[in-house]
Amino acid sequence: MKIAVAKEIDPSEPRVAVSPDTVKKFRALGAEVVIEPGAGMRSGMPDSDFTAVGATVAPDALQGADIIIKVRRPEASELGRYRRGAVVIAIMDPYGNDAALKAMADAGISAFAMELMPRITRAQVMDVLSSQANLAGYRAVIEGAAAFGRAFPMMMTAAGTVPAAKLFVMGVGVAGLQAIATARRLGAIVTATDVRPATKEQVESLGAKFLAVEDEEFRNAQTAGGYAKEMSREYQAKQAALTAEHIKKQDVVITTALIPGRPAPRLVSAAMVASMRPGSVLVDLAVERGGNVEGAEAGKVVEVGGVKIVGYTNVAGRVAASASSLYARNLYSFIETLVDKNTKELAVNWDDELVKATALTRDGAVIHPGFQPKA
């Protein structure tokens, strides 16, 4: 069984899909691991780190590979280098990308989307959304602190007292919880909001204050899978009024709200941005899906009336070494389920719930029920 690690061709992607630790684990599974030259360099993992643990580094690494692992979905220019029938595993970003899915199907590969992994106990160690969101939440606070012109913690000095920064987190998923924890460690006064009632206890357990309109709709605002439901216009208006008043007093606001398969909900209007004090900062972690903050621009820091709106993309990738190590472990844990332990060969069980949830293409067709072409 040959596992190949592709070097990311997107210049904005510094992560890599393997680590020296997972190379050793793959070899213990009986696999040959071949890596394209320089694949890990931008994550602080030179080729020598991989060869030291038994991997081969070669320009033709992808040739004849049974499994190809990547960070991002392969582009059309890459697909011609893959063997028909190869298993290709990556963060596929399938929503709204029908042409890319068709290209993978036409290339004859079996494509698996790591971000579609079901949220069940067995798959926790494979949950790439959580591993990367955790780091994005941490990094969002670091970016906010860097853009903010004052210290985060209260400081009492002979020259006077520096007040603690006020930080508000909007959206309390994995990224939001890590943002709260990081901001608290840095000494900020933290508040947070989310439409899911279960998050209130989590927020308060981290020493932050919870802010929400707690009516009947709020009490039923979570799907069985643990995601936020889309709220009614009436609730959104009430929550927006409460938020607008709160935002005026905040120094840093971090927004993390995403709904799978849909544009990011607009949480912060231009009027709210205008109400904030000059020198305040907004960090929009949903900018790649349209943004939670009106005026946010993907890949840029814009300034509106003295307020900075940070719209960095691939925020987890800004902590590339840690992000790569966690993603590599997610991948290994999934691939381990695809390998026959006795023969040490690839043996995909197409009836496995993990496979059914993540498989996008097979035998020249798009097979995932959520992404099949519309008749």
Side-chain angles (χ1 to χ4, degrees), residues 207-222:
K209 183 178 178 181
F210 190 73
L211 181 84
V213 175
E214 299 185 37
D215 61 8
E216 188 61 29
E217 185 174 357
F218 170 79
R219 285 187 281 275
N220 294 285
Q222 185 167 315

Side-chain angles (χ1 to χ4, degrees), residues 30 46 53 106 114 152 162 169 250 266 319 344 348 351 363:
V53 291
D106 290 346
M114 285 297 291
F152 262 38
V162 176
V169 177
Q250 301 306 300
R266 184 55 49 82
V319 199
K344 296 192 174 183
V348 179
D351 291 322
D363 295 336

Side-chain angles (χ1 to χ4, degrees), residues 108-131:
I109 64 171
S110 296
F112 291 83
M114 285 297 291
E115 70 269 45
L116 299 181
M117 197 65 66
R119 288 194 162 177
I120 58 177
T121 301
R122 176 183 167 216
Q124 281 183 333
V125 70
M126 310 168 201
D127 186 355
V128 64
L129 291 180
S130 292
S131 74

Side-chain angles (χ1 to χ4, degrees), residues 210-298:
F210 190 73
L211 181 84
V213 175
E214 299 185 37
D215 61 8
E216 188 61 29
E217 185 174 357
F218 170 79
R219 285 187 281 275
N220 294 285
Q222 185 167 315
T223 68
Y227 293 102
K229 288 183 181 178
E230 189 163 12
M231 306 299 280
S232 69
R233 289 186 178 181
E234 291 77 14
Y235 183 89
Q236 289 178 21
K238 288 187 288 185
Q239 180 70 9
L242 178 65
T243 301
E245 193 59 35
H246 187 66
I247 273 181
K248 292 179 185 178
K249 308 163 191 172
Q250 301 306 300
D251 297 309
V252 178
V253 177
I254 295 173
T255 66
T256 74
L258 286 168
I259 301 171
R262 298 187 184 182
R266 184 55 49 82
L267 303 181
V268 180
S269 66
M272 292 179 188
V273 175
S275 74
M276 297 178 73
R277 291 188 297 269
S280 302
V281 178
L282 294 118
V283 182
D284 190 342
L285 286 182
V287 71
E288 291 175 79
R289 288 288 180 187
N292 299 141
V293 180
E294 188 171 0
E297 294 185 32

Side-chain angles (χ1 to χ4, degrees), residues 3-6 8 17-18 26 67-71 87 89 331 335:
I3 297 175
V5 182
E8 300 302 314
V18 74
F26 282 133
I67 300 174
I68 298 167
I69 53 177
K70 293 185 86 274
V71 178
V87 166
I89 310 172
L331 281 172
I335 291 171

Side-chain angles (χ1 to χ4, degrees), residues 3-9 13 15-18 34-40 58 61-62 65 67-72 74 78 81-82 88-90:
I3 297 175
V5 182
K7 181 180 180 180
E8 300 302 314
I9 66 172
E13 183 52 77
R15 292 173 293 180
V16 65
V18 74
V34 189
I35 303 172
E36 289 195 300
L62 307 182
I67 300 174
I68 298 167
I69 53 177
K70 293 185 86 274
V71 178
R72 292 182 181 251
E78 298 175 83
R81 301 163 61 202
Y82 297 177
V88 181
I89 310 172

